[in-house]
Amino acid sequence: MNAKSLTCRECGFEYPLEARYVCEKCFGPVEVAYDFSALASGDSESLKRRIQAGPQNIWRYADFLPVDALPQGPHAGLPVGSTPLVKADRLAERLGIDGEVWVKNDAHNPTHSFKDRVVAVASARARELGMTTLACASTGNLAGAVAAQAAALGLESYVFIPSDLEEQKILSTGIYGTKLVRVKGNYDDVNRLCTELSGERDWAFVNVNVRPYYAEGSKTLAYEIAEQLDWQLPDRVVAPIASGSLFTKLKKGFGEWIELGLIEGEQPAMFGAQAAGCSPVATAYAEGKNFIKPVKPDTIAKSLAIGNPADGPYAIDVAKNSDGSIEAVTDDEIRAGIKLLAETTGIFTETAGGVTTATLAKLAAAGKIPAGGRTVIVITGDGLKTLDAVRGSFESYEVEPKLSDFITHVENEVLVP
Ligand SMILES: *Cc1c(COP(=O)(O)O)cnc(C)c1O
Ligand SMILES: [Zn+2]
């Protein structure tokens, strides 16, 4: 394994690769640090071939992940990643963007969100640490990802969700036979309960006590984007921010590959996307602050509704240091974003993808997408998970099974209410 320690992001103190998320010295968050010298000794072409010879899932990037061994056989879990990256010319045209727009469609994962990536890495490491129960504090998608991965691995699981979650997400989680706990409160309440529980139980709370491993899973999105662009970097990336983990780890992933010579050029400009009804990071960014004032979420983008985002300050750094920005869009813009993406690409995304698409639209309208470059938007979840958001967004026709009726009411475009 090339991972060598858990290192405090604030004071730099190093810990072994155990179940730990906070520094004992300064209470800063810890993250996985690597020594890639074994990979750097060869030439980059042979490293590319090594990656290409790997499995068609995130474990082709095992050299860059904190696991001792490739999960195999009964421990393989669900195959995650290798999701499509599609060129979206009609979306670019609709937005007046004179350059390439690509959609990374991470709804194409086993439980239809990017959370399968982070759960795959967290559960693999948890198993190596001898933990046999998976758990999580979820805004919705993580619950399904943990429940399904636990079922695939034959592990017990407990998932904690805010009790007002979308019905689609509750149903598509409970079915895996997990212990589904609906907490009367918002995500930040759920997270507080889980943080307390993680000290009391010997469970792997994927986004609490094994969070450093979980977070590394998001880097695989950056690796895939670079590999799918034929080992090139995009010029800019638009991605959603809930806790800020995905956003910051995209940058880490690109950075590691630049360092190793696998890809050439500069870090892409990183644009973060939040819902106006829960935009503590966008607000801090706009006010030029690097600390986050917690908010009470009120938005249809429930999967992004974290009022007190742990990685917020780091997300601000990523946007600033890359010439990007962090934007917020309203619920109406989110609904329009979902529709725009669906109509121009055939991809139906959940509300978080509406946030991302609406943010691209907002950047384009503000002239912040210069001509000629390549923009990737990261679509993190499936529209079937948030159907309420699109109810009433289009009309349909009802006819008798008669040709004349069809002609009168459809071809002549008479809408029956
Ligand atoms: C969890 C999630 C995100 C981003 O989460 P972070 O906490 O910022 O890593 C984005 N989109 C969807 C659909 C999610 O479920
Ligand atoms: Zn520290």
Side-chain angles (χ1 to χ4, degrees), residues 241-253:
I241 294 177
S243 72
S245 176
L246 161 67
F247 189 70
T248 52
K249 295 297 171 169
L250 281 170
K251 187 212 159 183
K252 189 180 184 191

Side-chain angles (χ1 to χ4, degrees), residues 193-216:
L193 171 62
C194 288
T195 303
E196 195 181 341
L197 256 173
S198 74
E200 301 287 323
R201 300 284 182 275
D202 187 23
W203 301 345
F205 276 88
V206 297
N207 57 339
V208 183
N209 55 341
V210 294
R211 184 175 177 84
Y213 308 107
Y214 158 103
E216 293 298 289

Side-chain angles (χ1 to χ4, degrees), residues 116-145:
D116 289 316
R117 294 179 187 271
V118 286
V119 170
V121 177
S123 58
R125 185 61 192 159
R127 207 183 49 76
E128 290 180 348
L129 293 172
M131 303 164 106
T132 53
T133 299
L134 298 183
C136 69
S138 175
T139 55
N141 289 315
L142 188 56

Side-chain angles (χ1 to χ4, degrees), residues 66 90 184 204 231 372 376 378 417:
R90 278 179 302 281
K184 295 177 192 162
W231 305 94
V376 173
V378 180

Side-chain angles (χ1 to χ4, degrees), residues 100-121:
E100 291 180 12
V101 172
W102 294 74
V103 178
K104 180 61 171 167
N105 185 6
D106 236 30
H108 267 250
N109 267 310
T111 68
H112 311 281
S113 91
F114 104 97
K115 287 295 198 302
D116 289 316
R117 294 179 187 271
V118 286
V119 170
V121 177

